[in-house]
Amino acid sequence: MEYDVIIIGCGVTGAATAYMLSRYQLKVAVLEAENDVAVGTSKANSAIIHAGYDPVPGTLMARLNVEGNRMVGEIADKLNVPFSRCGSFVVAFSEAEVEHLHRLYDRGIQNGVPEMYLLNREETLKEEPNLSDQVCGALYAKTAAVVSPWELTLAMAEVAVKNGVELFLDTRVEAIQKENDLFKVTAANGKNYQSRYIINAAGVDSDVVHEMIGEKEFTVNPTKGEYYLLDKSEGNRVRHVIFQCPNELGKGVLVGPTVHGNLIVGPNAEPGTGRDDRATTGKAMDFVRAAALRSVPSISFRENIRNFAGVRANTEFDEFLIGESKSVKGFLNLAGIKSPGLTASPAIGKYACELLNEMGLSLIEKENYDETREVVRVRYLDAEKKNALIQKSPLYGRVICRCETITEGEIVDALHEVIPARSIAGVKRRCNAGMGRCQGGFCSPRVAAIIARELGIDETDVLEDRTGSYVLTGKMKEGLENV
Ligand SMILES: Cc1cc2nc3c(=O)[nH]c(=O)nc-3n(C[C@H](O)[C@H](O)[C@H](O)COP(=O)(O)OP(=O)(O)OC[C@H]3O[C@@H](n4cnc5c(N)ncnc54)[C@H](O)[C@@H]3O)c2cc1C
């Protein structure tokens, strides 16, 4: 199997790059180790589309952040991805921190961030009455937004696949060699692929993938961040994303609305964790809770419905590491993509195309590029549209997930999409079944039955999420199938 470009990894960076490359007359493959896209860091983060006042002016990170902020809004609109330009506040609790807000404001101006405002205490509390009365002021960035990170990734990957990009899931790259200007890539499943160019978008494993063929240039220091996700009853506690002043470990603990109407609280920053360590700990949760209550004292943590963790691909450099490998021609690293990597992703993808072009790849646009994506979300339709849909397919009238009002029709759609769901969590990422207050307690068995029926597999073969994560081990008693 010979390609012009092979992309390794299908998180938001790989998906955005595939999306950008799919508009050109090229043969592109994406090799992803897991059984779905967006299951690494791209599914477990704060989901903020940062305005761009944080990165150091003049860096690639600053430029791609600001450009990405604008691009994500346009893509979300075009590809039907949940997105809300709610704005963000960085709040100060002392005069020294107010000084810091001025510095962030100046950085923002240098980075070209539009619509930023320095608010005094009264203005801040008027906009966000649930903030602590210890607040002294805030930096308001109107262009900050929130998005569904896995749907953004999925949407871009789907458009890429619709336009001819070949996606290979369950394909962990194990070895890379180069002979006569052609890369030979071997996957753990025994399959081999060849290409003229390679893009390394392997997230926390980007150093490992680079060193399969190149000399060491950087080391990923996985840094875990842990979260609370609170029920929708807390979803209106704040209207904007509330940050505290950043420190050397990152942007600090935030409190913010999600696109799905929940409240997200977190993360901490724990350097030196395992690359695949997504466990949450009591200690981190205590830290996050105490830090968040300092900003918004009235948060009710009794409304917590889930804890989760994501791992940052931090390196020894405070910068995205984007460029051709120093030791291997034709090998493009998109590495060290830590925050604001979600925000910057489309700009990174576009920049990757420019770099490939400089490296000798011709980019000729396709004539019949299809940049559309339809998603049915029954709960947002008016009664007339709902009725019309149910007339066409009664499955859209049968609610399976009662917390989120997700119908059987939407679950079936998720299982037959361009990149179909293959697990209960895959269904959840595509249509929100199981995302509500009960976290799938009621609907998971019904979703599992629908998966088994639609995929023609036994229920004992249904996965919770990753390959091997079987939910059922077998029948306890025969004859209960119809209960
Ligand atoms: C706690 C936390 C909070 C964050 N908050 C924000 C935020 O609010 N806003 C923002 O803009 N950014 C945020 N980020 C950063 C953002 O999430 C990341 O920059 C982004 O998700 C990185 O995407 P990626 O595609 O590079 O990596 P990933 O999503 O990790 O994708 C890499 C993919 O490569 C695959 N892979 C690895 N090795 C191989 C191999 N050998 N063969 C094949 N495939 C392989 C993996 O399975 C994975 O799917 C946050 C990150 C964290 C951890």
Side-chain angles (χ1 to χ4, degrees):
M1 285 181 269
E2 196 178 312
Y3 298 90
D4 295 306
V5 184
I6 284 179
I7 300 171
I8 302 174
C10 201
V12 74
T13 307
T17 307
Y19 168 60
M20 293 296 168
L21 278 174
S22 69
R23 57 197 75 212
Y24 302 109
Q25 295 176 28
L26 295 170
K27 211 163 151 27
V28 179
V30 184
L31 311 184
E32 166 54 53
E34 301 284 345
N35 65 355
D36 201 356
V37 309
V39 291
T41 303
S42 300
K43 89 166 173 189
N45 52 61
S46 309
I48 314 294
I49 299 307
H50 293 286
Y53 49 74
D54 256 316
V56 177
T59 57
L60 202 52
M61 199 185 261
R63 174 164 75 79
L64 298 174
N65 182 156
V66 176
E67 192 184 351
N69 175 294
R70 183 182 47 74
M71 289 174 80
V72 172
E74 290 166 5
I75 291 169
D77 208 27
K78 221 179 322 186
L79 303 186
N80 222 321
V81 175
F83 174 85
S84 162
R85 216 172 266 291
C86 55
S88 69
F89 280 20
V90 184
V91 293
F93 291 102
S94 66
E95 283 313 310
E97 287 192 351
V98 170
E99 290 288 301
H100 194 79
L101 297 186
H102 284 265
R103 284 196 291 278
L104 289 178
Y105 178 85
D106 289 341
R107 267 191 186 190
I109 296 292
Q110 289 181 63
N111 291 347
V113 179
E115 298 191 272
M116 288 184 303
Y117 308 92
L118 284 162
L119 308 184
N120 63 25
R121 176 186 147 80
E122 285 68 36
E123 289 164 334
T124 307
L125 288 171
K126 187 164 168 247
E127 286 294 319
E128 286 291 0
N130 287 328
L131 283 180
S132 155
D133 59 9
Q134 302 295 306
V135 159
C136 304
L139 170 65
Y140 171 34
K142 209 172 168 185
T143 56
V146 292
V147 73
S148 165
W150 50 86
E151 270 206 70
L152 176 66
T153 309
L154 253 169
M156 293 191 290
E158 277 177 20
V159 171
V161 170
K162 259 169 94 172
N163 287 286
V165 169
E166 292 176 49
L167 171 66
F168 297 92
L169 298 172
D170 279 321
T171 304
R172 178 174 293 280
V173 172
E174 268 196 337
I176 308 172
Q177 292 164 314
K178 198 174 182 192
E179 275 171 34
N180 306 326
D181 286 341
L182 211 54
F183 288 101
K184 293 191 176 182
V185 177
T186 308
N189 57 17
K191 300 242 169 76
N192 292 296
Y193 307 82
Q194 297 189 345
S195 68
R196 291 162 58 214
Y197 295 89
I198 284 196
I199 294 187
N200 172 12
V204 287
D205 285 329
S206 49
D207 52 349
V208 176
V209 167
H210 179 237
E211 285 158 35
M212 287 178 187
I213 183 158
E215 284 163 22
K216 188 176 240 343
E217 283 181 31
F218 57 91
T219 306
V220 172
N221 176 15
T223 302
K224 191 163 70 167
E226 301 180 33
Y227 292 90
Y228 287 92
L229 185 69
L230 304 189
D231 184 45
K232 288 180 179 167
S233 54
E234 285 295 300
N236 293 323
R237 188 65 64 185
V238 291
R239 292 193 300 124
H240 307 83
V241 178
I242 309 296
F243 293 102
Q244 297 174 355
C245 276
N247 58 31
E248 63 287 350
L249 283 176
K251 297 182 180 74
V253 171
L254 65 87
V255 177
T258 72
V259 278
H260 304 109
N262 302 83
L263 191 76
I264 188 168
V265 178
N268 66 332
E270 216 181 315
T273 48
R275 289 165 192 255
D276 202 22
D277 178 1
R278 321 251 185 99
T280 53
T281 61
K283 193 173 157 215
M285 290 293 107
D286 288 348
F287 168 82
V288 168
R289 188 170 56 233
L293 289 173
R294 194 165 165 245
S295 301
V296 188
S298 54
I299 299 171
S300 170
F301 281 91
R302 289 166 59 100
E303 299 302 304
N304 181 44
I305 58 171
R306 194 169 191 97
N307 298 106
F308 67 93
V311 185
R312 302 169 181 89
N314 290 359
T315 67
E316 58 273 55
F317 305 99
D318 187 19
E319 176 61 304
F320 293 151
L321 306 178
I322 300 181
E324 189 171 18
S325 161
K326 292 189 180 112
S327 50
V328 194
K329 266 181 89 64
F331 188 104
L332 181 61
N333 281 314
L334 306 181
I337 309 296
K338 56 183 181 174
S339 185
L342 177 69
T343 311
S345 56
I348 294 175
K350 184 169 153 246
Y351 184 46
C353 293
E354 290 163 17
L355 290 175
L356 284 174
N357 191 227
E358 281 170 23
M359 287 155 67
L361 181 71
S362 352
L363 301 178
I364 302 164
E365 288 198 15
K366 282 179 186 156
E367 275 175 18
N368 305 318
Y369 185 61
D370 177 3
E371 204 172 359
T372 56
R373 179 174 180 260
E374 296 303 321
V375 183
V376 176
R377 295 190 178 95
V378 176
R379 61 204 177 283
Y380 301 134
L381 299 177
D382 61 29
E384 205 179 313
K385 286 197 176 123
K386 263 185 205 157
N387 276 337
L389 196 63
I390 294 165
Q391 292 299 321
K392 268 206 266 167
S393 168
L395 293 186
Y396 290 113
R398 196 173 301 149
V399 173
I400 300 293
C401 167
R402 283 180 284 161
C403 299
E404 297 291 306
T405 328
I406 309 298
T407 64
E408 185 166 354
E410 291 162 274
I411 294 168
V412 170
D413 286 348
L415 292 161
H416 297 289
E417 270 178 9
V418 181
I419 303 173
R422 284 291 171 268
S423 65
I424 295 173
V427 166
K428 173 170 147 184
R429 284 191 289 275
R430 283 161 179 80
C431 70
N432 294 11
M435 262 188 57
R437 190 177 174 89
C438 87
Q439 285 290 294
F442 285 101
C443 68
S444 280
R446 298 186 70 192
V447 172
I450 296 168
I451 293 176
R453 182 191 76 208
E454 292 297 315
L455 303 188
I457 58 175
D458 194 83
E459 275 194 58
T460 52
D461 291 328
V462 173
L463 299 173
E464 169 53 32
D465 196 357
R466 299 169 91 175
T467 301
S469 60
Y470 299 105
V471 187
L472 303 171
T473 52
K475 290 194 176 81
M476 285 172 67
K477 285 187 184 170
E478 296 298 331
L480 292 178
E481 291 89 348
N482 299 320
V483 172

